[in-house]
Amino acid sequence: MFRVRSAVAVLLAATLILAACGSDKKSTTSSNASSSNAPLTASFRGVTATTIKIGFAVVDFKCLEQFVDNTQGDDEKIIKVFVDDINKNGGILGRQLTYVFKRLCPLDQANTAKVCTEFTDDEQVFAVLGVYDTEPPGDGTNKLCLSRDKETIQINHILREAVINEAKPGLLLTPDIAAERNLDAILSLLKQENKLAGKKVALLADQNSQAAAEPKVKKAATDMGIQQGSTAVLTITNEETTAAQAQLDSFIEKWKTEGVNALVMAGLAVSAKQFVEKIKAAIPSMILITDATETAGQAQ
């Protein structure tokens, strides 16, 4: 559910950003167009004459044990390998990378908010990379602590367009496409391949993903000429999912009577194993479709 993407992709993206923002190169132009480079200086928060300090936010999988079976190994050791390699090969524009590593629980919004201030106010990092905040129980506000409230470069995963639009321009970046575009691509491919012919499709969403996903699924069902069942919205506000489980039980019974046999799951939260296993146990023939590519490893 919360699988962190390749550290290589994130670090390459970060290197490009830091290279663009971390230079103190100055030039003087004379009649013969000669130029010279001034010495490096401390030019910005987290940037000294010799170093650039970045923060790494990594998911604490221990707090997600009820939702996922996989982990991502020794994340700090993996990060250190790539940072050391960059430094061994000259760093970024003459500066070495230093880093602050923090593991956080995305289900604990107070913890997520605390990590934001630790990165920015306490550690004074130049940029934050990794998975900072995710889906519910948050509403996206914590994602904006770094890139909007603290005006800090953030390279993140699992972003929605509404959150991207609220960030300060150029400060919130991702190697992914937004969740809404991902769902558009999946539904378009299903239509192109005629995979849902004769099916009756329904939507399973959380309180934050419903608004964007519902009209897309409705339009796709109309375009494909297939019937649509009831939309299920699970209210997920913390790691306690008893209420959400009860909500899902009710919708499963409704889907049975409606003959729903294809389900679009919008968002990471509703794609968690506890919900998927419940659905498959009740309706084994149900085709499950998710817009969260992070579930690929879990599905395997």
Side-chain angles (χ1 to χ4, degrees):
M1 179 171 118
F2 292 100
R3 180 176 64 85
V4 175
R5 304 297 183 80
S6 168
V8 178
V10 175
L11 278 170
L12 284 176
T15 301
L16 293 173
I17 296 299
L18 293 170
C21 300
S23 175
D24 283 325
K25 183 183 290 184
K26 299 180 178 68
S27 63
T28 56
T29 304
S30 63
S31 58
N32 61 3
S34 64
S35 65
S36 62
N37 293 333
L40 296 177
T41 62
S43 58
F44 194 74
R45 180 185 64 235
V47 181
T48 73
T50 58
T51 64
I52 301 173
K53 183 190 284 188
I54 54 178
F56 285 95
V58 176
V59 171
D60 180 1
F61 278 85
K62 186 170 181 59
C63 80
L64 302 176
E65 288 177 337
Q66 64 170 314
F67 298 100
V68 298
D69 291 320
N70 59 314
T71 67
Q72 60 193 40
D74 191 334
D75 12 60
E76 186 169 11
K77 186 176 291 186
I78 293 169
I79 287 168
K80 186 177 185 303
V81 167
F82 290 110
V83 171
D84 288 348
D85 185 67
I86 290 173
N87 287 336
K88 186 172 66 175
N89 287 281
I92 297 175
L93 295 178
R95 293 182 172 94
Q96 294 284 286
L97 291 182
T98 64
Y99 71 90
V100 178
F101 177 89
K102 291 190 178 294
R103 187 174 281 109
L104 54 84
C105 177
L107 300 176
D108 183 346
Q109 294 297 283
N111 170 243
T112 307
K114 178 172 175 284
V115 168
C116 173
T117 57
E118 288 175 346
F119 272 137
T120 55
D121 297 344
D122 300 339
E123 297 289 350
Q124 296 280 301
V125 300
F126 175 69
V128 175
L129 287 64
V131 179
Y132 176 81
D133 203 9
T134 49
E135 292 285 314
D139 59 1
T141 302
N142 272 342
K143 284 184 187 292
L144 296 167
C145 175
L146 292 164
S147 57
R148 182 189 64 190
D149 303 338
K150 300 295 186 177
E151 297 188 352
T152 299
I153 292 172
Q154 180 183 0
I155 303 178
N156 204 358
H157 293 296
I158 319 171
L159 296 178
R160 296 193 175 276
E161 290 175 355
V163 175
I164 295 172
N165 293 338
E166 286 294 319
K168 292 289 179 67
L171 293 186
L172 181 56
L173 309 168
T174 179
D176 310 324
I177 62 174
E180 293 87 347
R181 286 185 60 197
N182 200 28
L183 182 56
D184 278 335
I186 291 168
L187 293 173
S188 176
L189 184 61
L190 289 169
K191 177 185 176 183
Q192 178 182 317
E193 298 294 328
N194 201 30
K195 292 293 186 181
L196 298 182
K199 301 294 184 182
K200 188 169 187 176
V201 66
L203 170 66
L204 174 63
D206 59 67
Q207 69 271 21
N208 296 328
S209 61
Q210 177 194 8
E214 195 164 23
K216 294 180 184 297
V217 173
K218 181 177 181 180
K219 181 179 185 303
T222 301
D223 291 346
M224 286 185 262
I226 61 176
Q227 293 183 305
Q228 186 173 359
S230 298
T231 294
V233 180
L234 306 186
T235 304
I236 304 171
T237 57
N238 53 48
E239 66 273 18
E240 174 53 60
T241 61
T242 303
Q245 295 277 1
Q247 290 172 328
L248 181 58
D249 287 337
S250 176
F251 279 105
I252 285 174
E253 294 308 311
K254 184 175 291 188
W255 290 332
K256 286 180 179 178
T257 62
E258 293 176 343
V260 170
N261 51 12
L263 185 65
V264 175
M265 301 180 296
L268 283 168
V270 297
S271 301
K273 70 173 184 178
Q274 58 182 276
F275 301 126
V276 169
E277 290 172 351
K278 183 183 285 287
I279 294 165
K280 291 300 286 185
I283 313 176
S285 61
M286 182 80 85
I287 295 174
L288 300 181
I289 304 153
T290 176
D291 66 350
T293 56
E294 289 76 15
T295 62
Q298 183 70 7
Q300 291 171 350

